[in-house]
Amino acid sequence: MNEKYGGAGVRFLASLIDFAVIVILSTLLFLGCMKGVEVFVKEISIQHIIGTDVTITAIVYMTYFTVLEGGKRQAGLGKRMMKLKVTGLDNTKIGYVAAFCRAILKLILVLGFAGVGAISIFFSKKKQTVYDIFLKTVVKKTNERCEEK
């Protein structure tokens, strides 16, 4: 069986879409929180604002990737739009625990270390990142459209 894996370019585009969704959701939640806090507190320090924003963004990021990649569709909006899905090496769903671990490792290895965790995608037969190799996951091309299922 000739399986096709998602390469660096298409995965990067999917990531841009996913991060745009995360930023929009985080911003809306942040603004809602700040509006609620405004009622009780007259002055808020910049450290509290930044801390709140970072916390909300981290929660949205972790929830987004855990629920969507670990769930039925096996992909966030970006991957779905690019016709990709995350699976185990044996083509099974990865589940919520693996999706949560994948999100953490992606955050640390790609965002935290300026893309170091993604370099292996160029050398791996299955186009796996370091976190994919570690968790025994792959990103595969699929024929399913975003709105199907």
Coordinates of all heavy atoms in Angstrom, one line a residue, residues 23 51 70-71 101 127:
V23 N -5.2 31.9 18.0 CA -5.1 33.3 18.4 C -6.4 34.0 18.5 O -6.7 34.7 19.4 CB -4.1 34.0 17.3 CG1 -4.2 35.5 17.5 CG2 -2.7 33.6 17.5
G51 N 0.4 37.7 31.8 CA 0.2 36.4 32.5 C -1.1 35.8 32.1 O -1.2 34.6 31.8
G70 N -6.9 14.2 18.9 CA -7.1 13.0 19.6 C -8.5 12.4 19.4 O -8.8 11.3 19.7
G71 N -9.4 13.2 18.8 CA -10.8 12.8 18.6 C -11.1 12.2 17.3 O -10.2 11.7 16.5
C101 N 0.2 14.8 24.8 CA 1.6 14.7 24.8 C 2.2 15.3 23.5 O 3.3 16.0 23.6 CB 2.1 13.2 25.0 SG 1.6 12.5 26.6
K127 N 8.1 11.3 6.9 CA 8.0 12.7 7.1 C 7.6 13.1 8.5 O 6.7 13.9 8.8 CB 7.1 13.3 6.1 CG 7.6 13.1 4.6 CD 6.7 13.8 3.6 CE 7.3 13.4 2.2 NZ 6.5 13.9 1.2

